Amino acid sequence: MNAIQKLEAHLPTLSCEYFPPRNPAGWSALYATLAHAHDIGLDFVSVTYGAGGSTRQKTLSLVERIQSELHIDTMAHLTCAGHSRAELSVILDELQASGIPAVMALRGDPPRGSHHFVPHPDGFNYGNELIAFIQRHYDFKIGCACYPEGHIESSGVQQDIDYLKLKQDCGADFAVTQLFFDNDDFFRFRDAARRAGVTIPIIAGLMPVTAINQLDRFKTLCGCSIPTKLTDCLQVESNEEVVEQGVQYGLAQAEGLLAGGVDGIHLYTLNKSHSSAAIIEGLRANGRLHSFPTRRSSDLSEERR
């Protein structure tokens, strides 16, 4: 059973996100991490796309290698930023020719050093426009982003719910949330979205904390709140203990989400294997992942739209 089939059957999916490294040492470490990912039974992995398409070719190469060599269903991130419609078509043609089954369609962040998104003159202003373009011309399953605490540029959570409904109406098949640390925020958002007519699966994005200084960065970049219970548990003496506490907090979050009927768990790995793997192993040990085999090979392309 592939990821889309599991979502349609109301079985939670398990996935991880990676990014193209900047140097040879990073690539070596990533391949070791991906080899581990191959063994833990992920339903799919996603690969990010740099601001303004700065990692375009690296993203394409990485998703193609994961798909062809590790036989893990792979979702390529694609952004409007910096691309014309013709350029986006070239990228999508290459992904389709490589058998990539899914695309995460995003507006994208402004280029480094800029605070405002400026669309390409012949491109798209918003993620929903890119979603509609992909839906009209290609057979990919389409993922989109959503924000349980509101996007940093939005007026509030309700506006984000309205945008999610629009993305669904334009052709999105599922949504993955921005990272969050309080499950109540997720459940409030999910329930409000359902009342607003959002029916596509909403997968929860979790980020295991591996360093204290990450918290301020998370708040700055995505506007997420940091619960007192998280900061309290991180008041330990060594970085190793911070990593372990981050795993335990992430594990408790994932268990609570699964108990509440979440559609899936998506782990933002920062290209590191330990914390995400430890959370997955903890879920297995606690019986939360009975529906996940320890190793599987699926193919989203078997049932494209």
Side-chain angles (χ1 to χ4, degrees), residues 48-54 77-82 106-119 145 147 151-153 178 217 221-222:
T48 65
Y49 200 75
S54 58
H77 288 216
L78 183 61
T79 70
C80 304
L106 307 164
R107 187 201 71 176
D109 297 324
R112 188 180 299 275
S114 175
H115 299 290
H116 301 286
F117 178 81
V118 178
Y147 305 86
H151 189 279
I152 56 175
E153 297 178 15
Q178 177 63 274
R217 181 172 172 78
L221 290 179
C222 64

Side-chain angles (χ1 to χ4, degrees), residues 16-37 45-49 55 58-59 62 66 77 206-208 210 214 266-277:
C16 287
E17 180 173 294
Y18 302 95
F19 61 85
R22 295 184 177 88
N23 54 57
W27 282 100
S28 178
L30 176 59
Y31 288 141
T33 298
L34 288 170
H36 193 199
V45 301
S46 69
V47 178
T48 65
Y49 200 75
T55 64
K58 290 181 179 179
T59 297
L62 183 53
I66 294 171
H77 288 216
L206 302 183
M207 174 79 84
T210 57
Q214 287 179 319
H266 188 68
L267 294 166
Y268 297 111
T269 68
L270 297 179
N271 286 15
K272 298 176 182 178
S273 63
H274 170 76
S275 294
S276 296

